[in-house]
Amino acid sequence: MGKKGEAPAIGIDLGTTYSCVAVWQNNRVEIIPNEQGNRTTPSCVAFTYTERFIGDAARNQVAMNPANTVYDAKRLIGRRFNDATVQGYMKVWPFKIIEGESGKPMVVVTYKGDEKLFAAEEISSMLLSKMKEVANAYLNTDVKSAVITVPAYFDDLQRQATKDAAQAAGLNVLRLLNEPSAAAIAYGIDKKATLRGKTNFLIFDLGGGTFDVSLITINKGRHKVIAVDGDTHLGGEDFDNRMVEHFVSKFNRMYNKDITNKTQSGRKALGRLRVASERAKRILSSAVFTSIEVDCLYDRVDFSSKIFRAKFEELNMDIFDKCMETVKKCLRYAKWEKSMVDEVVLVGGSTRIPKVQQMLQDFFDGKDLCKAINPDEAVAYGAAVLAAKMSGKGNRMVKNLMCSDVVPLSLGWESYGEVMCVVIPKNTPIPVTMKMNCVTTDDNQYSILFKVFQGERSRSTDNIFLGEFVLNNLPIAPRGVAEATICFDIDDDGILKVFAEESTTGNRNGITITHSKQRISKEDTQRMLKDSKRYKDKDEEHTKKVDAYTSLDNYVYIMDIKLKDERIRKRLSGEDLTEMDDVVKKAKKWLDINEIAETNVIADKKKELHWVWSMCESVMGQFT
Ligand code: AMP
């Protein structure tokens, strides 16, 4: 709880392309402008021969100093050098990345004439220091604490690295808040939904390089993320690229000069064309046409060209369509009809594009979109509200606020036959504790090995392995009798604890899965969700196989028990007895070597045994 006179806690949206800082003051949220008077600051750090620039100053010199101007640190943070995302972006980033110690990607720049290496955390820490300075200057105090937002899909490692960056910037992190939750909080407070009954939000977040759709419910101040989907490689930069491509080919047609030739002057020309295109794109959100003018673009040729909004829309139509598909997919995940959405919230600078707004509004049958809060400020706005609540400030609505997020992929353990037993299904709100009972699969089984996985596939080994532990000292009992309860517990910060307990002895063991390497990134999550659909048939076949095998195994097990019963043995002739013992022996052997047999083969085997056993029963009479 905050004390009187203490510096207020701030909310920081640490964005991929822009960052924003806000504070709760004078009974409302105030977005804090930087020294240039801008309400958002480019997430950009530049190194020169004489100094280091952060924010607008860094971005303003990018065309002249591309190799030493670092942006997109959020795409690097918490990832390894050989991560596919890092490798992919390395092809387009003008700055250099090398593999550092233990596989960490390091940015290489020349600073004050020397080569320097920086980890993504260090770049993010510089950005956070800058946002802290902006707040300090505005509030005339030394800010100590902040709520910092992260994408909903950020894994433990990425969250932990963001926390480390904040600590290095001298900020105590009150909470890492998911970006869509922050936007919902902003509108929840704005529309007083925190006091009303249930309100369903769709958060459409189209920023500079990422796109996220989230469905969130606010029920009497309690926030619940129902579903999230999106694309980590889609955003304003794609629209810029399309415009650059358009102007490059126009320049080529007009002057027969190709600036994509990868020479140094070509690269510089592309950089300047990109800056001009981005500016033109923003203008096209309010004007129906604009022009770009770049002096001495290439080979001392000046370039100027007009572009109409309609042309911009035509160049990007397939991307807009893709965004709408994601909206539909997210609604399907949540099993929501579009009519169930009460508020459609726009977040991210690219939602200013009129075509995006129109398509969204048309899809929601003309519904008014929530635009009251600037789309590039809504996330910081929500973070500031939560910062106020967590430091004991704010009005009644702020104090009533509660927040919960969801599990992005199902969590479970591996049962017999590599079957994924889901304990916490995907999209379950956190914090959460869920339990499941399990039994031994062998007679007198002394221990159970619990392997924990995350993913949507029904075969455990197709999912991500998170960790394992053993529960020992189980009571001596036939299979299926000794019972243990496995419990999955996820706290507010998304940290997973798994433990198992044997009920009669109270014997217990477990693991905590914190920022393990195995917890997965958003790309992995998206890939796995796609895979899970693609492999659904294969998975079902595997499940059927395991079911058939288990059923046969149980059948043989029961035959074996019955044949050991003296009362049954007495009813069978010596010849029949030998034959039955032999049948069971052979069946056990068959089971040992046919674990991966096809379902129909297992079913045939069971039929065969059933036939022999029925014959046997007809001789000795039904015996149960
Ligand atoms: P964000 O990361 O949410 O700050 O979004 C930044 C992205 O929004 C960048 O790609 C900007 O070019 C884009 N953007 C900002 N303002 C506008 C605008 N008026 N029209 C179109 N795109 C914009």
Side-chain angles (χ1 to χ4, degrees), residues 265-333:
S265 51
R267 260 199 271 266
K268 268 198 175 150
L270 270 181
R272 292 170 65 215
L273 197 54
R274 178 174 301 278
V275 173
S277 298
E278 202 256 353
R279 201 173 299 136
K281 174 189 75 174
R282 288 178 185 243
I283 295 171
L284 288 177
S285 290
S286 50
V288 288
F289 80 88
T290 186
S291 56
I292 67 157
E293 266 151 46
V294 189
D295 291 343
C296 282
L297 176 65
Y298 184 74
D299 258 0
R300 276 174 279 161
V301 177
D302 297 338
F303 180 57
S304 83
S305 178
K306 257 189 186 165
I307 181 158
F308 283 83
R309 186 190 283 171
K311 182 70 194 174
F312 171 78
E313 290 171 357
E314 182 196 313
L315 292 173
N316 292 294
M317 204 53 204
D318 59 318
I319 309 182
F320 299 154
D321 283 336
K322 213 166 147 192
C323 294
M324 294 312 300
E325 276 313 307
T326 306
V327 169
K328 292 176 198 163
K329 217 160 62 172
C330 204
L331 287 168
R332 280 201 298 273
Y333 275 153

Side-chain angles (χ1 to χ4, degrees), residues 276-406:
S277 298
E278 202 256 353
R279 201 173 299 136
K281 174 189 75 174
R282 288 178 185 243
I283 295 171
L284 288 177
S285 290
S286 50
V288 288
F289 80 88
T290 186
S291 56
I292 67 157
E293 266 151 46
V294 189
D295 291 343
C296 282
L297 176 65
Y298 184 74
D299 258 0
R300 276 174 279 161
V301 177
D302 297 338
F303 180 57
S304 83
S305 178
K306 257 189 186 165
I307 181 158
F308 283 83
R309 186 190 283 171
K311 182 70 194 174
F312 171 78
E313 290 171 357
E314 182 196 313
L315 292 173
N316 292 294
M317 204 53 204
D318 59 318
I319 309 182
F320 299 154
D321 283 336
K322 213 166 147 192
C323 294
M324 294 312 300
E325 276 313 307
T326 306
V327 169
K328 292 176 198 163
K329 217 160 62 172
C330 204
L331 287 168
R332 280 201 298 273
Y333 275 153
K335 299 194 175 71
W336 279 17
E337 292 298 325
K338 60 181 175 180
S339 58
M340 288 166 69
V341 174
D342 300 309
E343 306 287 352
V344 180
V345 174
L346 299 183
V347 178
S350 301
T351 58
R352 289 207 173 86
I353 296 171
K355 190 73 189 172
V356 171
Q357 295 188 3
Q358 184 218 318
M359 287 172 82
L360 205 50
Q361 192 164 31
D362 288 349
F363 176 73
F364 284 101
D365 305 319
K367 189 175 191 58
D368 282 339
L369 309 176
C370 295
K371 304 190 267 188
I373 302 174
N374 265 338
D376 26 27
E377 296 168 2
V379 171
Y381 189 119
V385 172
L386 188 63
K389 179 195 161 68
M390 293 187 75
S391 51
K393 306 265 164 57
N395 59 16
R396 188 159 65 96
M397 272 193 301
V398 171
K399 286 180 177 144
N400 276 346
L401 189 74
M402 287 194 262
C403 201
S404 81
D405 281 317
V406 292

